[in-house]
């Protein structure tokens, strides 16, 4: 009788050990299964997926996500700014008004660095930087940007080059107002449709600075 109880006890111990082994095997195998296993499987997979997604977001942020609107903004604003700088370069030798000369200098000082920044973005995105001298709005793809508003025609540029004194001051101011209005419109489109944070920030700065200069130039035109 004693022997029988001892045998039953050993049998129970063995059965319990076997059951424990089965539970451990099931828990161990759940991590590599189809993900429908119990808590142990989810505990193994959840931490690994979260850092991966966070690392991916960090990588995207550091690279600076961009879209077609950002590319169009940069490709359009570069020749637009170049023409403004070209116009500004005419002022020192032709303008009579000290205010027009200072305005031209301020425009060049602001837009030259922006041209370099915009060019750097395009290069980093694997896009072509518009060639120097590519000023004609008809030669650029500005889909989504409504065209490069306010760009001067070759005839208008020639007329400005041939003007001097008060005639230059008036022509420069009128043409630059139209030029700035086009840039502001392009910048607003970038803010609405762009994805690249720094490009949208630059667009906001263009809106603020050039809107202020438009007010300044309208005031100049009201003076005799």
């Amino acid at each position: 009788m004693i022997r029988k109880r001892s045998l039953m006890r050993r049998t129970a111990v063995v059965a319990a050990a076997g059951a424990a082994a089965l539970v451990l095997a099931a828990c161990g195998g759940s991590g590599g299964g189809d993900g429908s296993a119990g808590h142990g499987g989810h505990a193994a997979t959840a931490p690994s997926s979260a850092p991966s997604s966070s690392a991916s977001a960090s990588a995207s942020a550091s690279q600076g996500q961009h879209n077609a609107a950002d590319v169009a903004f940069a490709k359009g604003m570069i020749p637009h700014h170049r023409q403004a700088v070209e116009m500004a370069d005419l002022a020192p030798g032709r303008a009579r008004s000290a205010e027009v000369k200072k305005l031209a200098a301020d425009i060049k000082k602001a837009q030259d660095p922006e041209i370099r920044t915009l060019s750097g973005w395009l290069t980093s995105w694997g896009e072509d930087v518009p060639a120097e001298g590519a000023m004609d709005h008809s030669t650029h793809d500005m889909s989504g940007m409504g065209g490069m508003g306010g760009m001067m025609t070759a005839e208008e540029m020639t007329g400005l080059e041939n003007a001097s004194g008060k005639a230059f001051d008036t022509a420069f101011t009128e043409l630059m107002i139209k030029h700035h209005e086009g840039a502001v419109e392009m910048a607003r489109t970038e803010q609405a449709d762009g994805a690249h944070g720094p490009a949208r920030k630059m667009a906001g700065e263009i809106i603020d600075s050039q809107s202020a200069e438009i007010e300044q130039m309208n005031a100049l035109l009201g003076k005799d």
Side-chain angles (χ1 to χ4, degrees):
M1 194 64 166
I2 294 172
R3 189 177 300 156
K4 189 185 235 182
R5 277 198 207 124
S6 176
L7 181 59
M8 287 175 66
R9 195 175 297 116
R10 281 201 301 273
T11 303
V13 171
V14 170
L22 285 172
V23 170
L24 288 172
C27 287
S30 64
D34 59 9
S36 62
H39 181 73
H42 288 294
T45 53
S48 64
S49 63
S52 167
S53 136
S54 166
S56 173
S58 290
S60 297
S62 66
Q63 290 166 8
Q65 288 183 339
H66 70 282
N67 61 13
D70 298 314
V71 174
F73 172 70
K75 286 195 172 187
M77 198 60 82
I78 288 171
H80 202 275
H81 272 15
R82 282 175 181 161
Q83 190 179 68
V85 170
E86 187 178 342
M87 292 166 70
D89 281 340
L90 298 174
R94 294 170 174 78
R96 183 176 77 178
S97 165
E99 289 170 298
V100 169
K101 288 181 180 179
K102 183 179 184 308
L103 175 66
D106 289 343
I107 288 170
K108 181 171 182 177
K109 182 179 178 181
Q111 298 194 22
D112 260 341
E114 288 178 347
I115 291 169
R116 290 192 293 274
T117 299
L118 291 159
S119 300
W121 288 340
L122 287 174
T123 300
S124 71
W125 298 337
E127 300 283 348
D128 292 332
V129 176
E132 290 278 355
M135 298 287 187
D136 184 357
H137 69 276
S138 65
T139 65
H140 293 281
D141 176 16
M142 288 296 293
S143 52
M145 297 296 291
M148 287 191 291
M151 288 288 283
M152 290 171 59
T153 63
E155 291 75 18
E156 285 173 330
M157 196 69 192
T158 299
L160 192 62
E161 288 170 349
N162 292 334
S164 61
K166 186 178 178 182
F168 175 88
D169 294 343
T170 301
F172 176 87
T173 305
E174 289 175 345
L175 290 168
M176 192 61 83
I177 287 173
K178 186 173 73 168
H179 206 269
H180 273 23
E181 286 171 345
V184 168
E185 181 182 348
M186 292 161 65
R188 284 184 177 141
T189 301
E190 165 60 19
Q191 283 207 316
D193 300 335
H196 189 58
R200 295 179 65 196
K201 182 173 182 289
M202 178 187 286
E205 291 166 353
I206 288 172
I207 292 168
D208 291 344
S209 64
Q210 298 204 18
S211 293
E213 287 174 348
I214 288 170
E215 287 185 16
Q216 180 185 352
M217 290 185 283
N218 278 324
L220 287 174
L221 286 174
K223 296 176 182 179
D224 191 7

